[in-house]
Amino acid sequence: MASYMLRRFIGSIIVMWAVATLVFFMLRFVPGDPIAAMLADAGGPDEIEAMKRNLGLDRSLFVQYAIWFQNMLHGDLGNSIYGSRVAVTAVLAEAIPRTLSLSLLAFVIALAIALPAGILSATRRNTATDTTVSLLAFLGLSMPDFWLAILLIIVFAANLQWLPAIGYAPLSDGFWPWFSHLILPSIAIGTAFSAIIARMIRSSLLEVLKADYMRTARAKGLTPWMIMFGHALPNAMIPVITVIGIAFALLISGAVVVENVFAIKGLGRVLIEGILNRDYPVVQGAVLVVSAIFVFSNLIVDLLYGVIDPRIRLN
Amino acid sequence: MTLLRVENLAIDVARDGGSCRLVHDAHFSVDRGETLAVVGESGSGKSLTALAVMGLLGEGLSVSGGRILFGDEDLAQMSPQARNDLRGSRISMIFQEAMTSLNPVRSIEHQLIEGMRLKKRLSRRAARARALELLAEVGISDPERRLKQYPHQLSGGMRQRVMIAIALACDPELILADEPTTALDVTIQAQILALTSRLCRDHGVGLVLITHNLGIVARYAQKVAVMYGGRVVERASARQLYRAPQHPYTQGLLASVPRLDLPRDTPLRPIPGAPPDPTVRLGGCRFHPRCPRASDLCATEVPPFVTDGGHEVACLHSGSQSSKPKGAAA
């Protein structure tokens, strides 16, 4: 297990390096360049040259890559080449907590809905409850997150005025300000995720409920609660966890879009602004962080397998 | 006193709006400390009957007639809650598939003690102490270590021993064992059966041993009920049944089992034909299409049980050795 985790960890680092490198070169091939974006038509050829030199963009691509890579290893992701030229790490340090708060809250809300929904529809298969859950899941999966976001703002912020429509408050301002700003975007992002997980739990549970060991559990005369939570779910969650790992990507990419609807300056917002401005270092830094989140959420999933399944832990 | 008495039990399965009868007439009884073997081919309804006694019939299956008397209570009339209270505590079951009947992600300890904690209200410590005793009793060495392990770390025989320990955990009065050894090696089979029947005798537990293996019956059961096509056709003590099988089906079954006590060149005689398809209506005796002694009457009349010194048989043409088809083994 330990050597397996070490291998997975090294693999994760390699994946992150590959993603960072790919993004570095792909950005350079995107049409349009940062100087043009900044100066518009205001600068002459001399100014453009001076600016290029100033930003280090006059050197060859590979030299730029080597410098960026070396700095990255030292924890320096460079400075934004746009506006006030703040350090990329500072931009990210501000954005990461927002995106993580948002996706984790979305994750918690989604699971809190998906778990009971999946259990109900599996245990009451082919009843009205099951059909209702399936329909809602289908609806949730079909609604685009940005559209749901706008709908939520109209109903709960504009009309009912229960919750703020836009913006973000850090947790240091208190729980309620933080929570109230995040709840609508979390629902917008988490709905599709919740629908996927609920369906997955349903089908996985249906499979498990047929197993011989479930009959053994029933033959012991256990309570329905003990049978579900002591025997069925621990087995049913194994494939569900895989899907959760993959679908976590959905949350992050959902955050990118929905942050823009709710004007939350998280990773998504940073990424989009960076791309529009051809702000190479910012985009590279943001992508690095997003890929790190991906890679490590999958690593956590792998760890969870071992926790939940002794056949993996003990072999 | 009779512990379990199954009377005229019928089990239906719902299909395409209608229903189809799988068990027509299961009828047998077992006393405390006694082993009853229920023998029959696959599809004869023996496992369904056991599941009906447990109250664990699957989706679409239901008891549609008869009584399941446990003591003086009819299990078929009990509320689901009351039946669940009985399960595990007074009636328990050992299943066929030792390899898959234990939960792969829960420890042996958890699977052994959860029933005791619920049904006997034991503390974790007391349940654990009892679990260690049980593992030792079913012949598992180093119980302390085994308790912490998971099913995949145990061999098939050991898993079935654990299943037996689970079945015994709450001191039940009745254990149903549904072909407990089919998935095991032959050498292990004998050990498991000897263990099960010894433990049941020692603890005064009634054992219903469901099997298709007549060889098992001779050694471990006192009484036998032979099932064919969803109906019990012959009931007798194991000794009587072996000495003088009365029903043509039982005679056919015995003739198709290889035996070491007969001359080497005695041919095995399989029963021609196949068991009845439950979806096709079949009047009269269920066995008549395959029966060497069938008459026209057999196709229309359901044979009643005839008793002869505790040996009961449901056949219009039942007979002793003399009327048996030539060459069948005694």
Side-chain angles (χ1 to χ4, degrees):
Chain A
M1 191 71 195
S3 80
Y4 169 74
M5 284 319 296
L6 188 70
R7 278 202 309 274
R8 283 286 284 116
F9 186 79
I10 293 170
S12 305
I13 301 288
I14 293 173
V15 167
M16 282 175 59
W17 166 77
V19 170
T21 304
L22 208 62
V23 169
F24 181 94
F25 287 105
M26 270 166 60
L27 268 179
R28 301 307 197 268
F29 295 124
V30 174
D33 74 275
I35 313 294
M38 273 184 279
L39 296 178
D41 294 327
D46 289 351
E47 280 168 302
I48 290 174
E49 270 314 305
M51 195 146 208
K52 267 193 175 171
R53 208 171 19 254
N54 194 7
L55 295 174
L57 296 176
D58 56 336
R59 307 204 210 177
S60 87
L61 214 49
F62 289 98
V63 173
Q64 284 184 44
Y65 174 73
I67 292 170
W68 174 74
F69 193 76
Q70 196 189 1
N71 287 340
M72 185 185 71
L73 291 181
H74 292 97
D76 176 10
L77 294 172
N79 293 329
S80 165
I81 56 174
Y82 193 74
S84 53
R85 306 204 57 187
V86 285
V88 172
T89 43
V91 174
L92 293 177
E94 200 185 1
I96 291 171
R98 298 175 178 189
T99 299
L100 276 188
S101 299
L102 185 55
S103 354
L104 288 180
L105 190 63
F107 179 75
V108 170
I109 292 176
L111 269 194
I113 296 169
L115 209 60
I119 293 173
L120 270 179
S121 61
T123 48
R124 307 193 182 169
R125 186 158 65 108
N126 300 334
T127 62
T129 317
D130 184 20
T131 315
T132 312
V133 169
S134 293
L135 267 174
L136 286 177
F138 186 66
L139 200 70
L141 208 52
S142 316
M143 276 189 295
D145 46 14
F146 63 88
W147 180 79
L148 183 62
I150 293 167
L151 208 68
L152 288 170
I153 290 176
I154 292 173
V155 174
F156 293 101
N159 286 347
L160 294 170
Q161 305 216 328
W162 288 352
L163 295 161
I166 56 164
Y168 174 81
L171 198 49
S172 53
D173 288 7
F175 178 78
W176 177 247
W178 172 80
F179 188 70
S180 64
H181 279 94
L182 286 179
I183 186 158
L184 292 184
S186 296
I187 292 172
I189 298 167
T191 300
F193 182 78
S194 180
I196 292 175
I197 301 303
R199 283 177 161 201
M200 192 64 207
I201 290 175
R202 177 184 184 272
S203 65
S204 178
L205 256 184
L206 284 178
E207 202 54 48
V208 165
L209 291 175
K210 283 188 283 188
D212 286 344
Y213 54 79
M214 291 307 298
R215 199 179 47 188
T216 308
R218 284 189 281 267
K220 289 180 191 172
L222 302 178
T223 62
W225 189 271
M226 286 168 86
I227 291 175
M228 177 54 68
F229 291 93
H231 288 277
L233 270 186
N235 282 285
M237 286 313 278
I238 295 169
V240 175
I241 281 175
T242 316
V243 176
I244 287 179
I246 298 165
F248 199 74
L250 207 78
L251 287 183
I252 302 288
S253 57
V256 170
V257 177
V258 170
E259 274 172 8
N260 281 283
V261 178
F262 286 91
I264 296 172
K265 203 159 166 27
L267 276 176
R269 193 92 195 241
V270 165
L271 201 57
I272 287 181
E273 278 176 10
I275 291 170
L276 292 177
N277 294 330
R278 304 289 184 276
D279 195 342
Y280 297 151
V282 167
V283 176
Q284 283 156 13
V287 169
L288 200 66
V289 170
V290 171
S291 69
I293 293 174
F294 266 104
V295 164
F296 283 99
S297 61
N298 277 299
L299 206 62
I300 289 170
V301 165
D302 275 10
L303 274 173
L304 275 178
Y305 277 140
V307 172
I308 201 167
D309 193 342
R311 286 165 296 189
I312 292 173
R313 189 187 337 136
L314 300 170
N315 279 341
Chain B
M1 187 199 138
T2 302
L3 179 63
L4 173 78
R5 188 171 179 81
V6 174
E7 289 178 352
N8 310 107
L9 182 72
I11 300 171
D12 284 0
V13 62
R15 54 191 291 275
D16 311 326
S19 74
C20 167
R21 181 146 294 186
L22 297 178
V23 172
H24 295 255
D25 183 6
H27 203 120
F28 54 78
S29 68
V30 62
D31 294 345
R32 286 172 197 281
E34 184 182 58
T35 297
L36 163 80
V38 178
V39 185
E41 296 165 286
S42 336
S44 61
K46 53 195 195 304
S47 294
L48 279 181
T49 304
L51 287 173
V53 173
M54 281 304 278
L56 290 177
L57 285 173
E59 216 176 316
L61 293 162
S62 59
V63 170
S64 50
R67 300 199 292 172
I68 306 168
L69 294 168
F70 182 63
D72 45 16
E73 294 169 294
D74 185 0
L75 297 183
Q77 302 298 326
M78 269 187 173
S79 72
Q81 182 57 52
R83 298 205 75 178
N84 203 39
D85 291 343
L86 283 184
R87 271 198 289 273
S89 59
R90 295 179 64 198
I91 307 177
S92 55
M93 188 155 178
I94 302 167
F95 294 99
Q96 187 167 0
E97 298 295 330
M99 302 306 278
T100 53
S101 288
L102 288 170
N103 193 327
V105 307
R106 303 313 304 254
S107 67
I108 301 302
E109 172 168 358
H110 178 90
Q111 303 193 50
L112 249 172
I113 71 170
E114 60 176 348
M116 291 190 269
R117 297 205 60 195
L118 176 72
K119 302 279 175 174
K120 306 209 96 177
R121 304 260 160 231
L122 292 185
S123 68
R124 182 173 292 276
R125 176 184 293 226
R128 197 171 187 283
R130 172 99 176 100
L132 287 171
E133 276 173 33
L134 282 165
L135 287 185
E137 200 170 0
V138 297
I140 288 180
S141 57
D142 201 356
E144 195 71 58
R145 181 169 67 99
R146 295 298 180 193
L147 218 47
K148 292 194 196 77
Q149 290 191 316
Y150 289 85
H152 73 275
Q153 295 168 299
L154 271 53
S155 68
M158 255 200 282
R159 288 187 216 188
Q160 199 58 299
R161 285 171 195 269
V162 170
M163 285 300 296
I164 295 169
I166 289 173
L168 285 169
C170 298
D171 301 311
E173 294 154 58
L174 175 71
I175 293 181
L176 305 161
D178 185 6
E179 308 218 10
T181 60
T182 29
L184 303 174
D185 290 345
V186 182
T187 47
I188 310 290
Q189 286 187 7
Q191 291 175 14
I192 294 289
L193 284 167
L195 175 73
T196 313
S197 60
R198 177 174 59 76
L199 287 175
C200 287
R201 206 172 46 241
D202 292 355
H203 293 256
V205 178
L207 175 66
V208 177
L209 181 63
I210 290 164
T211 179
H212 60 262
N213 185 343
L214 273 169
I216 285 176
V217 173
R219 282 198 60 177
Y220 302 105
Q222 286 92 54
K223 289 201 305 197
V224 186
V226 178
M227 277 188 91
Y228 181 80
R231 184 168 282 155
V232 170
V233 294
E234 185 162 7
R235 290 190 296 266
S237 71
R239 193 177 295 264
Q240 285 171 324
L241 191 93
Y242 266 82
R243 287 236 179 102
Q246 297 290 308
H247 198 280
Y249 173 65
T250 315
Q251 291 165 356
L253 265 187
L254 280 168
S256 62
V257 175
R259 288 175 58 170
L260 292 173
D261 56 341
L262 293 177
R264 268 184 156 193
D265 50 358
T266 309
L268 290 180
R269 303 179 139 268
I271 303 171
D277 178 351
T279 61
V280 177
R281 278 200 181 281
L282 181 66
C285 172
R286 308 280 299 164
F287 189 57
H288 81 263
R290 300 169 77 185
C291 183
R293 274 186 251 156
S295 63
D296 291 347
L297 203 56
C298 293
T300 52
E301 196 159 316
V302 178
F305 264 101
V306 180
T307 309
D308 173 19
H311 193 148
E312 297 170 282
V313 62
C315 177
L316 297 173
H317 307 285
S318 70
S320 52
Q321 326 260 344
S322 59
S323 57
K324 254 170 41 188
K326 191 173 145 265

